[in-house]
Amino acid sequence: MNEQHTEFDTKLFKALQSIAEEGIHNAVSGFSGLLGQTLQVSQPSVKLVPLANIPYINGGPENEAIGIYLRAEGDISGQIMMIIPYAKALELVDLLLEQPQGTTQELGSLERSALAEVGNQTGTFFLNSLAKMIGGEVRPSPPAVMVDMVGAILDIIVATNGGISDTVLLMEADMTNGDESVETNFWVIPDPATLHRIASMGG
């Protein structure tokens, strides 16, 4: 099991970057159709960051946040987590529900459902892009929405996947509806076997 921690070399990163950009654009397109409105997304920024840095990119380990989590099984496996600071999540709900910014003050079932569908659409389209690129089947889990401190959300990721890489893929993109815009972060943590498969592709 020496491939337990496949390195993100330049070739692997470029492959994942291409998948990430296609996946996030497809996700926003699909979600726009679901909403019956046109959401735009900025050119996503894709970078590699140490797993331990996730809490600090999201305001610190004690900062309250929303985590939208999907697990992928099948030929392609891994985890996708969308982490949004709590206040930004409220703004995103307003954006999705076409409400004036500041309308949403707490997350009820409707608001959680809207956020879950963002994670579901984004994760599913990303995984489909990955499956198309490397071949194989993928089965995403239903999205789970968590409200907790960033550090606690990260602990869940680590606890559910013991052999993950110390480095994860971060996608940052601004979702826009008219003159309203909300920055979103997507964390992609492929399992070592999936990373190794991508790294072994020709090209």
Side-chain angles (χ1 to χ4, degrees):
M1 290 295 189
N2 290 333
E3 283 102 30
Q4 184 89 350
H5 296 285
T6 302
E7 292 298 325
F8 284 91
D9 60 18
T10 301
K11 176 184 169 186
L12 176 58
F13 175 63
K14 287 184 176 180
L16 287 169
Q17 186 176 37
S18 175
I19 294 167
E21 290 177 356
E22 179 182 359
I24 199 166
H25 280 291
N26 287 345
V28 171
S29 175
F31 196 66
S32 295
L34 188 72
L35 291 173
Q37 57 179 295
T38 302
L39 287 179
Q40 302 293 334
V41 62
S42 65
Q43 183 69 18
S45 165
V46 182
K47 63 184 74 171
L48 296 173
V49 297
L51 183 66
N53 285 7
I54 291 178
Y56 302 99
I57 293 175
N58 287 275
E62 296 184 358
N63 196 42
E64 190 173 23
I66 306 298
I68 308 166
Y69 173 87
L70 290 92
R71 172 80 201 172
E73 302 289 353
D75 297 324
I76 297 168
S77 57
Q79 301 176 87
I80 294 179
M81 175 71 79
M82 182 176 177
I83 300 180
I84 318 171
Y86 190 81
K88 290 291 184 184
L90 299 181
E91 292 180 12
L92 181 57
V93 169
D94 285 336
L95 179 71
L96 298 171
L97 299 181
E98 295 186 278
Q99 301 173 154
Q101 291 293 307
T103 301
T104 302
Q105 296 297 316
E106 59 184 22
L107 296 178
S109 58
L110 174 64
E111 291 79 12
R112 284 174 177 260
S113 178
L115 291 171
E117 195 55 36
V118 170
N120 183 47
Q121 288 283 327
T122 304
T124 299
F125 275 93
F126 177 85
L127 291 169
N128 286 343
S129 296
L130 179 58
K132 183 174 69 174
M133 181 174 178
I134 71 174
E137 295 183 359
V138 59
R139 298 184 300 275
S141 69
V145 179
M146 295 172 278
V147 182
D148 211 326
M149 292 185 295
V150 175
I153 294 172
L154 179 60
D155 287 343
I156 293 171
I157 300 175
V158 174
T160 54
N161 194 355
I164 61 176
S165 171
D166 293 332
T167 307
V168 300
L169 194 71
L170 167 63
M171 297 180 285
E172 298 175 309
D174 289 334
M175 286 190 183
T176 304
N177 183 3
D179 57 359
E180 303 290 348
S181 180
V182 177
E183 181 182 302
T184 53
N185 289 343
F186 303 92
W187 304 88
V188 180
I189 311 173
D191 283 350
T194 297
L195 278 179
H196 185 62
R197 185 171 178 177
I198 297 170
S200 298
M201 290 190 309

